[in-house]
Amino acid sequence: MNNAPSTSIQTQGEVPAAFRPSRFGERFGRLIDPALRPEVSNEQLNMVLGHTRLGTLVATAFAVFLGLQLRGVALPAWLVDAWLVIKLGVAAARIYTSVRYDRLGRPGGTKWSRTTDAWLLADGLVWGAAGFSLMSSPLPLAALVCAVMACVSCVATFGLQFSKRSTAAYVAPILTLTAFGLFPRGDELGTIGGTGLLMLLGLLLAT
């Protein structure tokens, strides 16, 4: 009788479990133990708000710089001033929310999550309104602002990727409104740029 231990030989067609490609459901709808969902959501919120202060300050500084460059040139001064006031107000509310959340010991919960996403949506709408209104500008300016909106969305995704809902709240209005402003142009920038922005939105939310 042969008592030698049997060894399993991996055939060429087999893929080790560690290298198994992820299934669609695992990638886009991860299954989480219901008992752990509140803790996972709270940690996602902690990471999103942890990014808020620095990200908001840099984005707002750039928004002010952009607005001052366009003030009285591409847009009436009063319109740019009104946009900047709204942008600064929303940014201040986001920073205040982040600071207060930390001072309260990061309590987590649905209320804080919804408040955070609501202000992200408001900030995204402010950016998106600028993108929409400037897409009817002459080609060089429209192309520049289109690129700016794409860059703002991509950079924001690095800090918000912990939560798909938070990412969508911010980047969806930016890219969607800018794309909707591009399509009526009827030229190559409108067709290619608008389609490209919507494809970028899908990619940011999928990855």
Side-chain angles (χ1 to χ4, degrees):
M1 180 181 293
N2 184 5
N3 294 326
S6 61
T7 58
S8 60
I9 300 176
Q10 182 178 301
T11 62
Q12 186 175 2
E14 294 177 348
V15 179
F19 298 97
R20 178 179 55 79
S22 62
R23 298 187 180 92
F24 182 88
E26 292 175 347
R27 184 173 180 83
F28 294 94
R30 297 182 183 276
L31 298 178
I32 301 175
D33 187 337
L36 297 177
R37 283 179 183 171
E39 295 183 18
V40 171
S41 297
N42 288 341
E43 188 57 32
Q44 289 175 320
L45 178 61
N46 292 342
M47 290 187 285
V48 168
L49 286 176
H51 164 79
T52 292
R53 271 167 280 182
L54 179 59
T56 303
L57 286 173
V58 173
T60 303
F62 179 76
V64 172
F65 172 75
L66 177 66
L68 293 178
Q69 296 300 310
L70 300 178
R71 187 177 186 271
V73 180
L75 292 172
W78 69 267
L79 185 59
V80 174
D81 292 343
W83 183 81
L84 287 175
V85 168
I86 297 172
K87 181 70 181 75
L88 291 171
V90 172
R94 288 187 58 197
I95 293 174
Y96 172 78
T97 300
S98 175
V99 172
R100 180 166 174 77
Y101 183 77
D102 276 348
R103 289 182 176 177
L104 292 176
R106 298 187 173 187
T110 303
K111 180 180 178 180
W112 279 101
S113 179
R114 289 177 178 173
T115 300
T116 299
D117 290 343
W119 282 116
L120 283 168
L121 177 62
D123 207 353
L125 286 171
V126 173
W127 277 111
F132 181 85
S133 62
L134 286 167
M135 289 306 99
S136 59
S137 302
L139 182 62
L141 178 58
L144 173 63
V145 175
C146 177
V148 165
M149 297 304 165
C151 289
V152 169
S153 299
C154 289
V155 172
T157 301
F158 283 113
L160 300 174
Q161 60 183 316
F162 315 107
S163 169
K164 185 172 293 187
R165 191 176 74 173
S166 297
T167 302
Y170 189 72
V171 305
I174 298 176
L175 295 177
T176 302
L177 288 175
T178 304
F180 286 169
L182 277 169
F183 286 128
R185 290 181 62 93
D187 57 7
E188 292 181 348
L189 175 63
T191 303
I192 299 175
T195 303
L197 288 183
L198 294 181
M199 293 177 68
L200 174 62
L201 173 60
L203 182 62
L204 292 179
L205 296 180
T207 56

